[in-house]
Amino acid sequence: FCLVGAAGTGKSTVTTDVIKSISKKYRLEEGTKYLHKGSPAVAIITFTRRAANNARRLVHEDMKGNVLTAHKLLEYSRDFEDVYDPEKGVFKTKVVFFPTRNKHNPLPESLKVIVVDEASTLAYETLYKQVREAAPHCEFIFIGDLNQLPPVGGDGVLGYKLQELPTVELTHVYRQALKSKPLALAHRVLSGVPIYTKELKEEWSGHPDLNIMLWDSSLKNDWKLAVQTAASVLKM
């Protein structure tokens, strides 16, 4: 099924309870490179390591090793291949990455459920199909927020699954979540109510977790300078 909702609606809390229920009944009977034998028969996968680290903080100790990127679950490996360059008329050595877990080397049968966190960011045509091929026996839970950015290439899997599967939507934003100033501003943006300069300066500025930078009017017609200005304030 799909579980969707904006930030602060409790998707992580619901997911944790679902995993607890599954963990009481099923354990992995066979380990992999990253999943340990005897751990819960659930894997939580994400596209980025940062998302995996965030999700890992929310689960029980015996589940922490089962929260990983899709690439790790598939045990991606590196190889080299010679590619012909028609312009220069020579072969070049290219580094390629491929999943070692596939239909010929599937994930353990005892793995029951794969939770796809931030599913709108996982590409449907590539990573999701590779995971599906390596785990045809698994059931999937797709968690996400359609307001999130799509994958770098292709369409996210969440949009497809919302048309195929039963969906639970969480709509209530909890008060404790709105204590986060950045999250509160995000929900204000989603509301569609305009935020004018005066309000930005008086209500949203001066918070340690939220830095409002107003555009100089001279940047409006110079997109290159605007991009350079935006890049200069980003923390690496």
Side-chain angles (χ1 to χ4, degrees), residues 1 3 9-19 143 168 170:
F1 66 93
L3 176 65
T9 54
K11 296 190 299 294
S12 297
T13 302
V14 173
T15 305
T16 301
D17 286 345
V18 170
I19 290 172
I143 300 173
V168 176
L170 304 178

Side-chain angles (χ1 to χ4, degrees), residues 9 13 25 45 54 72 76 83 105 110 121 134 137 141 160 165 167 189-190 199 213 217 219 229 232:
T9 54
T13 302
K25 297 180 180 180
I45 63 171
N54 290 338
K72 270 194 170 184
Y76 257 65
V83 179
N105 180 33
S110 56
T121 65
H137 54 282
I141 300 174
Y160 289 90
L165 300 175
T167 298
V189 172
L190 286 173
E199 184 185 350
M213 302 195 68
S217 58
L219 298 176
T229 303
S232 69

Side-chain angles (χ1 to χ4, degrees), residues 26-31 40-42 107-113 137:
Y26 304 106
R27 293 275 166 169
L28 283 176
E29 299 171 4
E30 175 189 347
V42 186
L107 291 161
E109 287 281 345
S110 56
L111 180 64
K112 300 293 183 182
V113 176
H137 54 282

Side-chain angles (χ1 to χ4, degrees), residues 62-210:
D62 67 349
M63 259 299 296
K64 291 188 183 298
N66 292 35
V67 184
L68 65 176
T69 64
H71 296 89
K72 270 194 170 184
L73 180 72
L74 294 171
E75 299 174 21
Y76 257 65
S77 184
R78 185 178 68 171
D79 202 353
F80 302 90
E81 67 178 20
D82 291 329
V83 179
Y84 183 71
D85 185 342
E87 292 185 3
K88 296 184 178 181
V90 296
F91 281 92
K92 292 184 177 180
T93 301
K94 179 183 176 182
V95 178
V96 293
F97 296 89
F98 63 95
T100 59
R101 288 287 179 172
N102 48 46
K103 63 181 179 182
H104 304 295
N105 180 33
L107 291 161
E109 287 281 345
S110 56
L111 180 64
K112 300 293 183 182
V113 176
I114 295 177
V115 178
V116 183
D117 196 17
E118 296 190 1
S120 61
T121 65
L122 194 76
Y124 176 75
E125 288 292 342
T126 52
L127 272 178
Y128 167 68
K129 286 192 173 180
Q130 290 174 351
V131 173
R132 177 82 269 183
E133 183 181 82
H137 54 282
C138 284
E139 292 185 350
F140 282 74
I141 300 174
F142 300 91
I143 300 173
D145 178 356
L146 288 176
N147 297 305
Q148 289 176 328
L149 291 172
V152 175
D155 297 322
V157 65
L158 183 61
Y160 289 90
K161 294 304 170 181
L162 286 173
Q163 299 179 58
E164 300 174 12
L165 300 175
T167 298
V168 176
E169 181 180 8
L170 304 178
T171 58
H172 178 72
V173 182
Y174 289 90
R175 187 178 302 170
Q176 58 266 35
L178 292 178
K179 290 180 180 179
S180 163
K181 201 74 170 180
L183 185 58
L185 180 58
H187 281 287
R188 174 61 187 276
V189 172
L190 286 173
S191 73
V193 178
I195 307 176
Y196 296 102
T197 303
K198 182 180 179 181
E199 184 185 350
L200 277 176
K201 290 181 176 179
E202 295 179 357
E203 300 294 329
W204 298 103
S205 297
H207 192 276
D209 297 327
L210 186 63

